[in-house]
Amino acid sequence: MSSDRSADNHSADNHSADNHDLIRVQGARENNLKDVSLELPKRRLTVFTGVSGSGKSSLVFGTIAAESQRMINETYSSFVQGFMPSQSRPDVDVLEGLTTAIIVDQERMGANARSTVGTATDANAMLRILFSRLGQPYIGSPQAFSFNVASISGAGAVTIERGTETTKERRSFSITGGMCPRCEGMGTVNDIDLGQLFDDSKSLAEGALTIPGYTADGWGVRIFTGSGFLDADKPIRDYSTRELHDFLYKEPVKVKVGDINMTYEGLVPKVQKSFLSKDREAMQPHIRAFVDRAVTFTTCPDCGGTRLSEGARSSRISGINIAEACAMQISDLAEWVRGLDEPSVGPLLRTLQETLDSFVNIGLGYLSLDRPAGTLSGGEAQRTKMIRHLGSSLTDVTYVFDEPTIGLHPHDIQRMNELLLRLRDKGNTVLVVEHKPETIEIADHVVDLGPRAGTAGGEIVFEGSVAELRKSDTLTGRHLDDRAALKPTVRSSTGVLEVRGATANNLRDVDVDVPLGVLVVVTGVAGSGKSSLVHGSVAPLPGVVSIDQGAIRGSRRSNPATYTGLLEPIRKAFAKANGVKPALFSSNSEGACPNCNGAGVIFTDLGVMASVSTLCEVCEGRRFQASVLEYRLGGKNISEVLAMPASEAEQFFAAGDARIPAAHAILRRLVDVGLGYISLGQPLTTLSGGERQRLKLATHMGESGDVFILDEPTTGLHLADVEQLLGLLDRLVDAGKSVIVIEHHQAVMAHADWIIDIGPGAGHDGGRVVFEGTPTQLIADRSTVTGEYLAAYVGAQGE
């Protein structure tokens, strides 16, 4: 009897644990999903396709990954959960078979000035241990090589009680850190132009200070005039040496101004604390303009920008110090580490070698470990995060990727595909949201969402293999094998932008003429120097409008209408038609529903549990007071207008009583960039990455500029939408604009009038112009990697 039961237990076919090889989703309704149900195979590579805004991210990130992370967070104690971001349960009926989800998204890495590629991947930590063990002369523990640890020493008397006796002993301590004392580990020092802080011909009472917020009658100035250190009526140029020192550099000291106790300190440290401690990008525009005007950042003269103390730079291994190792291109550093033969640190060398080789294999060998993490593009940041997972011994994990091929040349996409397959072959479930056919091709299973975007999407239109997708009649299936043809004729340039002696980053004294009045595409492998050339030498010129990959800042109250400036003419038109104030038609101002303050939903904070949002019972999600909704324009109230898709609103504001030319022009641009389906009042936080970038493009198109720079505008675009983008680029050029596009997508290259190819490789193997000419000439020459891939794409046959 027992032997029979034992045989049953060992029968692989009947083991109950083997029945859990699917992830089951039933009734998913997150964002625009329409009661979606599907089964995904575990330990396989599943690619999710569909037009931008069809619901891919809502299903993969907002439902499957979000619920996995929420359930893991709930295993921690309430105390620990209090320190973690609260997550509400996704709007879904059933989720079964979930495993631990690791999200590798496109979010930029933190812009902390102290964070580098090395610190973000633990490569720096291993290098510090290596130098503390092998470096000569020996200077200390690993923290002696850290630019985030300052050297500290101290001494004094301590009281020790032993039984009934009390004795005093002198003790001292010291911590040897690697931080450069001059720049405090930042690598740069700032120099303030005093002439931008004040007008020395005036007195403080006359308004000498020219710093934003420092008015003559404000507290910022009153503390100076009432401190007793300075004469408020004396011109600053007449100050004595002592007065000037007290005005500019005095250490903090308590003073009484009137009846109030305040802390007085010199103007320079005051400016440094209030302005220079903040991230420049987070500043208000007028503050940022002041900082750019008044402050110059220069390389620290003591450490030469390495951030490290003299001691840390003095210790060497085989003639190389840690600063030089971190400044090396990672591919070169990997070779240097490979040449170190030291059995005493063998395991450390092997781990460090594997990490550095992962950088090279993933196409990031051109970076250096001292590269600030905040300067990485979205694609580079995503691949840097992948480094941590490639060497992981975890298995049966769900890895979730958001368009991992962003920023990759066709040459590099093949390597990315191999990495995704490696993760799958270790026994993991890999879920990928992707538009590129090269990555769709390697899928074991494909889920296509659609049929369109926004409210016209949110449904599963296909599930199956790639071969079955090709035969299907879905939008993705029909366009999977699309190939853009070369244009029979190209436009002639109307002039050139001369770039001479460009040396930014890895550029090697580049001279190039960028044609004007045509569509110019700048190509090259990732890290070859495309962005350095365009953003470093062309973008700063007058009359140039640059649209980069930077994220849109905005709260859940921000929407396309507020971001594009569309709401302003609409509010004024409503006010004029009804004889009331424009402020009534803003949900952030007087017209807001008093119950939800114009949010449309009520947020209930449940402490360590997830916050709950419920529809406002007073305005029923309309966000406005009932009295405001009685005012109409063209038969619609403001809430109904904000609920319109952009394409419908474009027609609404084009003619009749609701005709508003300013609003119509903005809506026309939204439709042009393929965002006709998004509603005007949709929160920016719900837009996908591709939608946010195209919203920026639509906004910038209204600016007056002769030259437009676009950085990978196909990011997040479905195969069917690329053709629409090409039409938009053509319209810009035909309107007399010059368009320069940094792009890897072969359809955009084939459509170009002129191609500038940077290479031949990445990092120090790139930085040169390897081709200038038309797409036809590039294919005929086939002298570059780009030429080979473009020829294969358009189906050109070799001679």
Side-chain angles (χ1 to χ4, degrees):
M1 184 81 176
S2 62
S3 62
D4 290 341
R5 190 162 58 244
S6 174
D8 286 342
N9 286 343
H10 285 88
S11 171
D13 294 336
N14 300 329
H15 203 298
S16 58
D18 293 332
N19 296 329
H20 302 281
D21 54 358
L22 293 172
I23 297 174
R24 292 184 180 85
V25 181
Q26 287 182 14
R29 292 174 295 276
E30 197 69 19
N31 295 327
N32 69 329
L33 296 179
K34 296 175 181 175
D35 223 23
V36 165
S37 299
L38 76 160
E39 293 184 343
L40 301 173
K42 286 186 181 177
R43 294 175 287 282
R44 296 292 184 270
L45 175 62
T46 300
V47 174
F48 293 80
T49 62
V51 296
S52 183
S54 60
K56 303 183 299 297
S57 295
S58 298
L59 177 60
V60 180
F61 292 93
T63 304
I64 298 172
E67 178 64 356
S68 172
Q69 293 202 320
R70 187 187 71 84
M71 293 176 77
I72 290 170
N73 288 354
E74 286 189 350
T75 64
Y76 298 112
S77 67
S78 296
F79 175 75
V80 174
Q81 286 184 49
F83 296 97
M84 304 172 78
S86 59
Q87 293 174 310
S88 57
R89 188 179 188 278
D91 189 0
V92 61
D93 294 336
V94 178
L95 271 174
E96 293 178 346
L98 293 180
T99 65
T100 304
I102 295 176
I103 297 174
V104 189
D105 58 20
Q106 301 167 23
E107 287 297 313
R108 299 288 181 101
M109 299 176 80
N112 186 325
R114 295 187 178 277
S115 179
T116 65
V117 170
T119 60
T121 56
D122 295 335
N124 259 40
M126 289 184 275
L127 265 184
R128 292 198 297 271
I129 297 171
L130 185 67
F131 273 87
S132 71
R133 302 288 188 274
L134 302 182
Q136 292 296 328
Y138 174 79
I139 63 162
S141 68
Q143 67 184 11
F145 296 92
S146 171
F147 54 74
N148 287 325
V149 179
S151 294
I152 307 170
S153 61
V158 295
T159 303
I160 302 172
E161 294 183 2
R162 293 191 181 94
T164 57
E165 293 184 7
T166 301
T167 59
K168 285 191 174 182
E169 292 183 7
R170 182 172 176 78
R171 294 281 176 90
S172 62
F173 76 95
S174 68
I175 296 173
T176 304
M179 179 187 289
C180 168
R182 172 77 179 270
C183 64
E184 298 182 344
M186 300 296 283
T188 58
V189 290
N190 56 61
D191 187 23
I192 295 178
D193 181 358
L194 299 180
Q196 297 291 340
L197 304 187
F198 54 82
D199 180 351
D200 65 358
S201 67
K202 294 180 179 178
S203 67
L204 291 173
E206 293 170 332
L209 297 186
T210 56
I211 304 166
Y214 282 67
T215 55
D217 57 348
W219 276 109
V221 176
R222 283 178 67 184
I223 192 169
F224 286 102
T225 57
S227 65
F229 299 122
L230 309 168
D231 183 345
D233 298 313
K234 183 194 287 189
I236 293 173
R237 65 167 59 140
D238 296 335
Y239 280 1
S240 65
T241 305
R242 177 62 181 269
E243 284 176 317
L244 197 60
H245 177 270
D246 287 348
F247 173 51
L248 295 175
Y249 304 109
K250 191 171 183 69
E251 295 289 320
V253 59
K254 293 288 183 185
V255 296
K256 199 159 192 171
V257 180
D259 296 327
I260 303 172
N261 291 320
M262 302 185 76
T263 300
Y264 176 96
E265 68 178 327
L267 185 63
V268 170
K270 202 179 186 80
V271 167
Q272 286 175 327
K273 287 176 185 174
S274 58
F275 292 105
L276 303 187
S277 60
K278 298 173 185 171
D279 176 20
R280 180 186 171 280
E281 292 303 315
M283 296 175 181
Q284 293 175 288
H286 70 289
I287 302 290
R288 192 186 311 144
F290 162 73
V291 170
D292 290 344
R293 226 176 29 244
V295 185
T296 55
F297 295 91
T298 54
T299 302
C300 174
D302 287 10
C303 68
T306 64
R307 307 170 179 239
L308 291 162
S309 64
E310 189 176 355
R313 287 179 281 124
S314 68
S315 183
R316 295 177 177 270
I317 300 175
S318 301
I320 298 290
N321 66 29
I322 191 168
E324 292 163 348
C326 289
M328 279 184 187
Q329 191 165 297
I330 290 175
S331 55
D332 295 340
L333 180 61
E335 289 303 316
W336 179 74
V337 170
R338 196 172 279 112
L340 297 177
D341 184 17
E342 190 61 50
S344 62
V345 288
L348 175 67
L349 284 173
R350 278 194 298 276
T351 307
L352 177 58
Q353 186 69 61
E354 287 170 6
T355 301
L356 297 176
D357 285 342
S358 293
F359 271 104
V360 178
N361 293 336
I362 211 167
L364 293 178
Y366 59 88
L367 296 178
S368 59
L369 295 183
D370 63 3
R371 169 90 173 258
T375 66
L376 299 181
S377 69
E380 287 171 333
Q382 186 179 33
R383 282 176 280 150
T384 300
K385 293 174 198 170
M386 280 184 76
I387 301 292
R388 287 179 174 273
H389 306 304
L390 292 174
S392 171
S393 53
L394 290 173
T395 188
D396 254 330
V397 168
T398 299
Y399 286 99
V400 186
F401 290 93
D402 189 6
E403 293 190 55
T405 59
I406 279 183
L408 287 184
H409 188 274
H411 170 70
D412 300 311
I413 290 177
Q414 182 60 39
R415 287 197 289 189
M416 174 59 73
N417 287 347
E418 289 168 4
L419 294 170
L420 294 174
L421 292 172
R422 261 174 59 191
L423 284 174
R424 179 203 65 185
D425 293 345
K426 284 171 61 179
N428 298 305
T429 305
V430 182
L431 308 181
V432 183
V433 173
E434 188 54 83
H435 292 293
K436 291 280 176 70
E438 296 96 325
T439 300
I440 296 174
E441 290 280 359
I442 66 166
D444 301 309
H445 188 70
V446 179
V447 177
D448 193 18
L449 281 94
R452 287 289 177 176
T455 54
E459 301 172 34
I460 302 286
V461 293
F462 172 82
E463 271 190 275
S465 67
V466 178
E468 290 167 339
L469 175 65
R470 275 203 168 84
K471 297 172 187 172
S472 72
D473 194 35
T474 68
L475 198 62
T476 305
R478 291 197 303 271
H479 289 275
L480 191 60
D481 294 314
D482 274 4
R483 295 292 181 266
L486 295 174
K487 293 192 294 192
T489 58
V490 294
R491 302 177 185 92
S492 300
S493 67
T494 56
V496 294
L497 268 178
E498 293 186 359
V499 175
R500 296 291 179 266
T503 55
N505 298 326
N506 67 326
L507 295 179
R508 301 188 176 187
D509 204 25
V510 168
D511 295 339
V512 65
D513 290 336
V514 182
L516 295 175
V518 297
L519 175 59
V520 178
V521 175
V522 182
T523 62
V525 298
S528 61
K530 305 180 299 298
S531 295
S532 299
L533 175 65
V534 176
H535 291 300
S537 299
V538 181
L541 299 174
V544 175
V545 177
S546 180
I547 304 164
D548 59 17
Q549 299 176 7
I552 289 177
R553 284 191 175 80
S555 67
R556 58 187 169 214
R557 287 181 173 273
S558 302
N559 53 50
T562 59
Y563 181 77
T564 59
L566 173 65
L567 189 59
E568 194 62 27
I570 292 176
R571 283 170 49 199
K572 288 179 178 175
F574 264 95
K576 186 177 179 181
N578 295 281
V580 291
K581 292 190 294 185
L584 286 174
F585 303 99
S586 170
S587 60
N588 296 326
S589 189
E590 293 179 26
C593 167
N595 189 49
C596 62
N597 293 321
V601 290
I602 303 288
F603 294 94
T604 307
D605 186 3
L606 300 177
V608 299
M609 296 172 67
S611 296
V612 175
S613 61
T614 52
L615 198 69
C616 175
E617 295 176 355
V618 176
C619 68
E620 296 179 331
R622 294 189 184 95
R623 304 168 63 183
F624 292 90
Q625 298 173 23
S627 59
V628 173
L629 298 180
E630 292 176 7
Y631 299 120
R632 294 185 172 269
L633 177 70
K636 293 188 181 289
N637 64 36
I638 185 68
S639 179
E640 290 168 339
V641 166
L642 291 176
M644 283 183 182
S647 54
E648 183 184 331
E650 185 212 355
Q651 296 172 4
F652 178 73
F653 290 114
D657 295 339
R659 184 175 179 271
I660 308 174
H664 182 260
I666 295 171
L667 289 162
R668 175 74 252 169
R669 293 197 294 269
L670 282 174
V671 174
D672 277 348
V673 297
L675 292 179
Y677 60 88
I678 64 169
S679 62
L680 306 185
Q682 185 176 340
L684 289 186
T685 50
T686 65
L687 298 184
S688 67
E691 288 169 334
R692 288 196 295 268
Q693 191 182 34
R694 280 177 285 149
L695 185 62
K696 281 178 73 175
L697 174 57
T699 307
H700 285 293
M701 277 170 59
E703 296 180 12
S704 57
D706 298 320
V707 181
F708 281 78
I709 292 173
L710 306 182
D711 197 346
E712 295 190 50
T714 59
T715 298
L717 277 188
H718 186 265
L719 300 160
D721 295 326
V722 172
E723 192 174 333
Q724 186 175 1
L725 174 74
L726 296 178
L728 172 64
L729 298 179
D730 277 340
R731 285 197 296 278
L732 280 172
V733 176
D734 292 340
K737 308 290 186 185
S738 301
V739 180
I740 301 169
V741 182
I742 301 170
E743 190 54 84
H744 293 293
H745 202 297
Q746 295 104 313
V748 181
M749 295 181 203
H751 200 72
D753 297 309
W754 193 259
I755 289 181
I756 298 173
D757 197 16
I758 310 295
H764 61 49
D765 296 324
R768 295 194 297 270
V769 175
V770 292
F771 175 82
E772 294 176 79
T774 65
T776 305
Q777 292 168 339
L778 178 63
I779 290 172
D781 287 1
R782 297 197 198 188
S783 56
T784 70
V785 177
T786 305
E788 290 287 347
Y789 278 91
L790 185 57
Y793 175 82
V794 299
Q797 300 299 315
E799 293 299 320

